[in-house]
Amino acid sequence: MTGKEQTGDRSVGGEYDLVVVANRLPVDFSVRSDGGVDWQRSPGGLVTALEPVMQQADGAWVGWSGAPDLAHEPFDADEMRLVPVTLSQAEIERYYEGFSNDTLWPLYHDVVATPTYHRQWWDAYRRVNQRFADAAAAQAAEGAVVWVHDYQLQLVPKMLRDQRPDLRIGFFDHIPFPPVELFQQLPWRRQIIEGLLGADLLGFQRGGDASNFIRAVRRLTDYTTRGPIVTMTDEDGGPGRHVRAAAFPISIDSTRFDELARTPEVQARAKEIRADLGDPEVVMLGVDRLDYTKGIRHRIKAYGELLQDGRLDVESSTLVQVASPSRENVGAYQELREHVEVLVGHINGEFGELGHSAIHYLHHSYPPEEMAALYLAADVMLVTSLRDGMNLVAKEYVAARSDEQGVLLLSEFTGAADELAPGPVLVNPHDIDGLKDAIVQAAKMDPKEQRRRMRRLRRKVMNDDVAKWSDSFLGVLTAMPRRTSHV
């Protein structure tokens, strides 16, 4: 979907009752020679979740364009006001690739990789967060709701609160929040906590993440906590406003995936995929960003050992691994790609036969139609994350399986495991022997057992969709009292 810049007589700022603040805008755009804008909607669950709410509220979305030094005035697209935040190449390297993805990401994912701490990165993170906060404050009407998203912008709530105490501010953390024993490694731990406490409502994927945050508040601040509530202090040192931390598990546009997988074109493509793979008895599928948190190496190692043990063979089974490119300028990701490609090459070289590859490794991203066909073609979906806030791929697989067949093998370290059990086959991906046993169990599961499990999974995923998630969060946020009375 493409479009041209829309023009209107609305003033630039200060009139939007709902403002979303996220690292990225929901569109990719380019500036024409005449100064106008061409834009194309970018895919993503957050866009799908918030677009109807934004259009209904006539809201504004603050975010980075995704390209360095691309500056433009706010413009309208898809009935939303889009407010670009400009980042220089140096800021992208320090705020985004550096502090966000080489400091916070590994720290928040249980230090699967070692975090790097640089003061210059922190300085850039602070400056960029202030820029986002300033842009949001300029767009928000008196008493507006501002919803800030994810780990790149954890300082924004307090920065907004300092400028605009009239606002109702929510924050949603899309990734795990770490145990305080890990979090306190961060040299700027207190500043992050204070930044988040600028919000009225803090949303997390799992109850455990919300509890981790509350424990960090207790350990690192003097604020009073009672259950999920943190009581801030007012200017006189007395009790002030309340901050609530709670779980709001995110989901997908379940109906869209369900309808997509029912189309004749997608179903025909699923059969074509199986034929292209040599019509094996069992097709296993992994779909991940190429990220060290996803457990891709553990999955491939387990599969290779099953071939070596003779419990699986390449004539009757195959593994398709889709690994979308990710953060290719970060060293840890470059190393991961090399390691995975060497491992795949070794297993294919040792066990592959003419017409039968052990592993089909695809380092690409695919459109939703192709993903739906892959989900339909797969007998077993392998989700072996070492740590994952939610894992929406698991939910997409379930939504695509209206035939009530297929088996979801799911890491217990995903947010999805909290929501979907006991439908999936749960695994500890660090336990390679246990993972191997679970893969064999899934591959040989009786169709009646598959149907029983998939029906349970589908009831959950089809009911608790992404619209319900956004409505739930915004409903709680808007119902919260603006101020507490002094005691």
Side-chain angles (χ1 to χ4, degrees), residues 205-206 387-391 412-420:
Q205 299 281 25
R206 312 170 82 165
R387 192 75 169 91
D388 224 335
M390 177 50 62
N391 195 283
E412 61 193 52
F413 304 121
T414 63
D418 281 16
E419 276 201 280
L420 300 181

Side-chain angles (χ1 to χ4, degrees), residues 111-290:
V111 194
V112 173
T114 305
T116 305
Y117 303 116
H118 287 310
R119 285 169 290 180
Q120 298 92 334
W121 291 0
W122 164 252
D123 291 341
Y125 184 84
R126 199 161 30 86
R127 285 196 310 273
V128 170
N129 271 242
Q130 187 67 61
R131 196 173 308 153
F132 274 85
D134 293 346
Q139 300 298 324
E142 179 77 19
V145 169
V146 181
W147 194 359
V148 185
H149 287 268
D150 224 1
Y151 64 105
Q152 302 97 340
L153 302 174
Q154 293 175 105
L155 303 180
V156 169
K158 184 178 188 302
M159 291 171 168
L160 266 176
R161 176 77 53 195
D162 290 343
Q163 291 187 60
R164 296 286 304 275
D166 61 294
L167 298 176
R168 198 182 293 271
I169 302 169
F171 180 91
F172 186 77
D173 182 29
H174 291 256
I175 68 172
F177 194 88
V180 65
E181 292 79 11
L182 292 178
F183 181 73
Q184 64 186 3
Q185 292 181 19
L186 186 66
W188 308 279
R189 58 202 186 184
R190 177 68 186 251
Q191 292 96 313
I192 293 290
I193 293 293
E194 293 283 358
L196 290 170
L197 287 172
D200 298 293
L201 178 62
L202 292 164
F204 298 90
Q205 299 281 25
R206 312 170 82 165
D209 296 319
S211 297
N212 284 345
F213 175 77
I214 292 294
R215 282 194 288 268
V217 172
R218 286 198 201 106
R219 178 79 63 89
L220 301 172
T221 77
D222 296 326
Y223 300 126
T224 301
T225 64
R226 178 175 293 179
I229 304 296
V230 181
T231 301
M232 307 298 289
T233 51
D234 62 17
E235 294 177 357
D236 301 324
R241 64 186 181 87
H242 291 328
V243 180
R244 183 183 184 91
F248 294 87
I250 198 171
S251 192
I252 61 168
D253 187 349
S254 314
T255 301
R256 175 173 174 256
F257 250 97
D258 177 64
E259 292 174 348
L260 193 59
R262 292 176 188 267
T263 62
E265 296 81 5
V266 167
Q267 294 187 356
R269 176 59 184 146
K271 291 177 182 176
E272 185 181 359
I273 288 170
R274 290 191 72 101
D276 290 345
L277 294 172
D279 283 321
E281 293 176 19
V282 179
V283 175
M284 302 187 188
L285 176 65
V287 176
D288 312 88
R289 281 189 312 103
L290 190 57

Side-chain angles (χ1 to χ4, degrees), residues 12-69:
V12 169
E15 62 178 276
Y16 295 95
D17 292 325
L18 175 62
V19 179
V20 167
V21 189
N23 180 58
R24 289 292 301 273
L25 285 173
V27 301
D28 298 316
F29 74 92
S30 57
V31 181
R32 301 193 302 269
S33 57
D34 64 359
V37 169
D38 293 325
W39 58 268
Q40 184 168 358
R41 178 172 167 172
S42 53
L46 188 59
V47 183
T48 304
L50 296 182
E51 185 179 43
V53 183
M54 296 288 286
Q55 291 171 348
Q56 185 178 1
D58 195 27
W61 188 307
V62 175
W64 170 45
S65 69
D69 300 309

Side-chain angles (χ1 to χ4, degrees), residues 288-294 296-297 300 321-346 361-365:
D288 312 88
R289 281 189 312 103
L290 190 57
D291 190 290
Y292 49 76
T293 64
K294 300 298 184 181
I296 299 172
R297 286 178 288 194
I300 293 173
Q321 176 61 58
V322 178
S324 305
S326 176
R327 299 171 187 160
E328 296 191 298
N329 292 328
V330 179
Y333 290 80
Q334 296 167 352
E335 293 173 18
L336 174 65
R337 179 179 178 180
E338 292 172 7
H339 194 276
V340 168
E341 291 177 353
V342 167
L343 192 56
V344 169
H346 171 73
Y361 177 72
L362 308 168
H363 187 55
H364 308 288
S365 297

